[in-house]
Every structure is written in C-alpha cells, then in structure tokens.
Amino acid sequence: MSNQNSSEENRGQWGSKLGFIMAAAGSAVGLGNIWRFPYMTGENGGAAFVVVYLACVVFIGLPLLYVELALGRASGRNPVGAFRETGGGMPFIFTGVLCLSACFFVLTYYGVIAGWTISYAISQISQTTLVFEEYTADPVYVLPVFALFIALTVIIVRAGVEKGIEKWSKILMPLLFVLMLVIIIRGVTLPGAGAGLTYYLKPDFSKIDGTVVLKALGQAFFSLSVGWGLMITYGSYMSKKQNIVSNGLWVAFADTSVALLAGLMIFPAVFAMGHDPSSGSGLAFTTLPAVFAAMPAGWIVGTIFFLLLTVAAVTSSISMLEVPVSYFVDEKKARRSTCAVIIGVVAFLVGIPSALSNGGNEWLSNIEMFGQTGFFSILDQVFGTLALIIISLMLSIYVGWVWKPKRAIEEIEQGCPWFTKPLVVGITPAAVWAFFIRFVCPVVILLVLLNTLGVKIPGLS
Ligand code: PFF
C-alpha cells in the first residue's frame, strides 16, 4: 500500500496491480493450503473430498470473492463499516463483527501451528528429530515459538511494512512453489507411493456425505481467505482502475494450485511410509520430515521448506490481524501501532489453551464439543469453519437481495468493462455471477448449514 494512514478521507491504496495480487495471494496461500488442506482431505475421504472442494472453490468461493472485493471497493471500509456505509442493518453489521471475531480467534491457533513450523525449521537445520506427539505436548517448546510468531506478525502490521513483504513474497513464494515440486518428485518416486496417488486422485463418491461437504466448503473459504471480511478490507485499498475479476481469478488460481500440490506432496509419501492419512492435524508435520530424511542433503531442503512455510504463514497472519486493526483505526480512530500490539498480546493469551490442547493439558486435549475433540479443533470448527460459512451466507444474501447485484456489477465493471458485455448467446458474465450470488450460493450454503445442524433435508440426507 502506498499509504498506511487510514483516516476516512485518506486511506491507503495498493501501489500497483501486482501489489494487490501479491498481498491477496499472500493472504490466501498459507498454512491452510499446506497444513490444513491435506489433513482435511485425509480425514474426509481423499479424492472425493478434493472434487467437492474444487467445486466449492469455483461455484461458491470465487463468486463470493468478487462480492467481498466489490463491497470493499465500493464502500472503502472495513467489514463493519462496509455493511453500514452501504445501508446494511443490524444482522449485517453483526456479520461484520463476526468477521472480526473469526480473524481474531483463528489467529490465536494459526499462530500456534506457525510456531510448530519454526520449530521444525530449527530441527531440520540442527538435524535433530522432533517426535510430533512429544513436541506438541510440551509447552516449554511450543509457547516460545508461538510468542515469536505473534511478535513477528505484530511488528510487521505495526510498522505497516507490507510493502517490503510484497517485494520479498515475489521471490519467496515462487521459490516455495519450486521446492514443493522437488519434494513431490521425491515423494512420488518412493516405493509404495502409487497407493497414495490413487487415494488422492481417484474419487470414491460413496465417501461424500454432509460432513464432507461442510468440511470442503469450510476449507474453500478458509483457504481463499473468503468469508473473513479480509477481501472487503483489501478491496477497500483497491483503485477503481483495477480489474476485480481477473485479479480475483489469479488469487484463486494461485491458492488452489498450491493446495493441490500440497496434497501431491503429502499423500504418496504418507502411503509409502505406511502412515495413516486420517491421523489429523499432525499429518504434514509427521510426513514431510520423513521425506526429507529420504533425500540426499534433505535437511537443507527441509530447512528452506519450513522457513518458506513460516513466511507463507506470516503473509497470512498479518492479513488476519489487519482486519480487526483496520476496524479500530477506521471506526474508533485508534492508533494503528497501539491496536496491533494490544490485539497481538491478547491473541497470544487467548491462544495458550490451543497451544496446550495437543497433549500439553489433558482436559484441553480431550474436551468434546460440536463433534470435535480438543480445544483447538473446537475453535477451528466454530471460527475456522462455521463462522466463515455463516458470514458467506449473509454476504450472498446481502449483496444478492439487499444491496442488490446491480450495485456490485457497476462496481466490478469499473476496471473490467467486459463484465457486462454479452459473452455467449447474449448472456453476460455479470448475469451469470448475479445468478450464483442470488440463488446458488445462498441455497447451497443454507442446505449445508441446515444439514450440519441436524435438520433432515428430503432427498439429500
Ligand atoms: N487463507 C489462509 C490460509 O489458507 O492459510 C488463512 C487466512 C489468512 C484466512 C488470512 C483469512 C485471512 F484473513
């Protein structure tokens, strides 16, 4: 952004088209792709989950990404301000507040996992072995790296040096991509890897049920950074000249390719090593070190990989912190730096139970709620899945029926004139998009939610 001062008249703006794409893709590509996507796939049926996930990205996630960007750019506000400014009443303002809460609460456990990646980088460089279950159960190891990661996030958001991050991401993220290709080549050439490829690429559609669809939809929102108000905030920093449609496509494409590659990196290796694909949140952390160990000079690859993963996590966590910070700066005229520090410290404190819920504390590790076991999984289900789905439902209802697609289309058209030009048989991309936002998105999301709440849907459950 060219300006970090967010007073009402003088909010920041992205320096260039690439500036926006880098920051938005930096937010989207993160632990959600490399850590969360593979274990969600492993817990929910393999290739069938991947198919549902891809459908969710294309038919629900992408249209909603445009909703958020249009709403953000039209209003020039944070999520709460965006609904208010465009005439949204109470339920929608509440949706804005839910956005802030989702960003904050997910940050509290996202930081814990990012802390693990720092420890794994250290273990690779020092060529020591971390036994996942023992390491994650030990607060002495887990808490300092968690604190370090949150401190890093706060320092960057406080200084407002995302610009520097943009510059570095341009080099580091393609490097992560290349390194993933190298790791994939090693993984798929391990003896016994074929079973993993089949598991990951050959769908068994009988595995699809309500839970799989819920998890796939939640994962699509988690990974695309859609349903958090983040894209509203980032859209508010966009100039009218920028093309929302093509920029959004780039972000979704980058995000989805990294996730698909992450699966290719993990599953062949999981099967080759005889690990359990449904073993949960430790999947990437137990599998990858074994792959590195099977490579010549694997510790170098391992060190660089975990460091790059930490960078990918930072470009995501700064955007998560940015959402509540932009709210307090915009609406409460608070100082950016003070807000960043206070929210960071509170996020660390609130994150401690998550850090202790992988064996560190028995009660926190075994507590059961919403069909999940352990404090961290419960938070992930409530804020990292359900909240995103509710926000997205409200967003599609708001733009589809209250603010009206016409307004959003006028906004998107600026910078993308072909959006309202007939493409085939007189149908415009804008009309297709509006159909998805008014009908497809709300209906599908509502059905998934009702199914989760146990409501029986004739013909579906
Ligand atoms: N999309 C990020 C990931 O997949 O890791 C997570 C995320 C970051 C979501 C920032 C939302 C956000 F504002």
Side-chain angles (χ1 to χ4, degrees):
M1 269 171 274
S2 54
N3 191 336
Q4 289 300 327
N5 179 355
S6 299
S7 74
E8 289 203 354
E9 313 73 37
N10 192 16
R11 297 176 94 250
Q13 233 179 46
W14 303 112
S16 64
K17 173 178 168 172
L18 198 62
F20 166 78
I21 295 182
M22 285 316 293
S27 168
V29 174
L31 296 172
N33 306 58
I34 294 170
W35 154 77
R36 199 177 188 272
F37 172 74
Y39 91 79
M40 285 285 156
T41 304
E43 279 183 341
N44 292 288
F49 175 88
V50 179
V51 173
V52 181
Y53 166 77
L54 288 176
C56 291
V57 168
V58 175
F59 298 117
I60 314 278
L62 194 59
L64 277 161
L65 174 58
Y66 297 151
V67 163
E68 286 204 28
L69 291 175
L71 192 57
R73 193 171 72 176
S75 64
R77 291 287 186 283
N78 63 80
V80 177
F83 283 113
R84 210 195 38 228
E85 204 65 22
T86 55
M90 203 45 216
F92 300 108
I93 307 258
F94 168 76
T95 306
V97 175
L98 199 55
C99 288
L100 309 183
S101 321
C103 286
F104 173 79
F105 282 105
V106 173
L107 178 63
T108 66
Y109 65 80
Y110 200 84
V112 173
I113 315 299
W116 296 355
T117 64
I118 298 178
S119 298
Y120 271 78
I122 298 172
S123 91
Q124 288 289 320
I125 201 165
S126 58
Q127 300 185 43
T128 47
T129 311
L130 279 184
V131 179
F132 181 77
E133 289 75 19
E134 288 172 15
Y135 160 72
T136 52
D138 196 337
V140 175
Y141 289 122
V142 172
L143 287 179
V145 277
F146 171 33
L148 176 67
F149 181 81
I150 293 285
L152 256 171
T153 306
V154 169
I155 289 168
I156 295 171
V157 170
R158 186 166 176 256
V161 291
E162 285 95 342
K163 233 179 159 181
I165 292 273
E166 280 167 38
K167 218 177 346 187
W168 279 102
S169 309
K170 264 185 250 175
I171 309 164
L172 296 178
M173 290 307 104
L175 191 59
L176 176 66
F177 207 82
V178 172
L179 213 60
M180 287 176 77
L181 292 178
V182 173
I183 302 168
I184 288 170
I185 293 172
R186 175 66 276 210
V188 296
T189 51
L190 288 169
L197 280 175
T198 310
Y199 175 84
Y200 183 52
L201 299 175
K202 199 157 169 261
D204 169 1
F205 289 109
S206 68
K207 296 242 166 77
I208 298 177
D209 60 12
T211 312
V212 170
V213 179
L214 171 81
K215 292 287 185 179
L217 188 60
Q219 175 61 24
F221 291 144
F222 192 105
S223 191
L224 289 168
S225 299
V226 164
W228 311 65
L230 182 269
M231 293 296 175
I232 297 180
T233 309
Y234 274 17
S236 74
Y237 303 137
M238 231 182 185
S239 89
K240 302 278 185 198
K241 282 199 233 69
Q242 291 205 29
N243 186 329
I244 287 184
V245 179
S246 65
N247 283 1
L249 264 182
W250 272 113
V251 173
F253 176 73
D255 185 62
T256 309
S257 352
V258 175
L260 292 179
L261 285 185
L264 216 47
M265 187 170 74
I266 304 277
F267 288 109
V270 166
F271 280 77
M273 319 249 168
H275 292 178
D276 174 10
S278 62
S279 61
S281 60
L283 190 66
F285 290 94
T286 44
T287 309
L288 289 171
V291 180
F292 299 138
M295 278 179 168
W299 66 274
I300 300 180
V301 179
T303 308
I304 302 174
F305 175 81
F306 280 118
L307 284 178
L308 291 176
L309 188 52
T310 309
V311 174
V314 170
T315 58
S316 296
S317 65
I318 56 175
S319 66
M320 245 179 244
L321 182 56
E322 179 75 31
V323 176
V325 166
S326 79
Y327 167 76
F328 285 109
V329 172
D330 275 2
E331 309 285 323
K332 307 285 173 210
K333 305 283 169 277
R335 281 186 54 203
R336 176 177 195 88
S337 52
T338 320
C339 279
V341 173
I342 295 178
I343 299 175
V345 171
V346 180
F348 173 73
L349 296 175
V350 176
I352 292 176
S354 289
L356 300 182
S357 71
N358 275 279
N361 173 287
E362 234 193 274
W363 184 75
L364 288 168
S365 309
N366 297 319
I367 174 173
E368 290 194 19
M369 221 186 273
F370 305 114
Q372 308 293 313
T373 307
F375 189 82
F376 148 81
S377 304
I378 295 169
L379 266 194
D380 188 53
Q381 176 78 347
V382 174
F383 290 100
T385 305
L386 289 175
L388 307 184
I389 290 180
I390 293 172
I391 293 168
S392 301
L393 175 65
M394 295 300 281
L395 265 170
S396 60
I397 294 175
Y398 183 64
V399 172
W401 299 95
V402 181
W403 192 49
K404 298 283 157 70
K406 189 170 159 279
R407 312 279 280 279
I409 290 169
E410 280 164 12
E411 185 61 43
I412 298 173
E413 198 184 12
Q414 300 180 52
C416 181
W418 57 262
F419 196 54
T420 46
K421 304 272 180 299
L423 207 64
V424 269
V425 291
I427 298 176
T428 64
V432 176
W433 173 81
F435 176 75
F436 271 84
I437 287 309
R438 300 194 97 182
F439 302 104
V440 180
C441 295
V443 170
V444 172
I445 301 175
L446 195 65
L447 287 181
V448 173
L449 259 181
L450 291 177
N451 186 272
T452 312
L453 299 175
V455 180
K456 292 272 169 268
I457 304 156
L460 279 181
S461 48

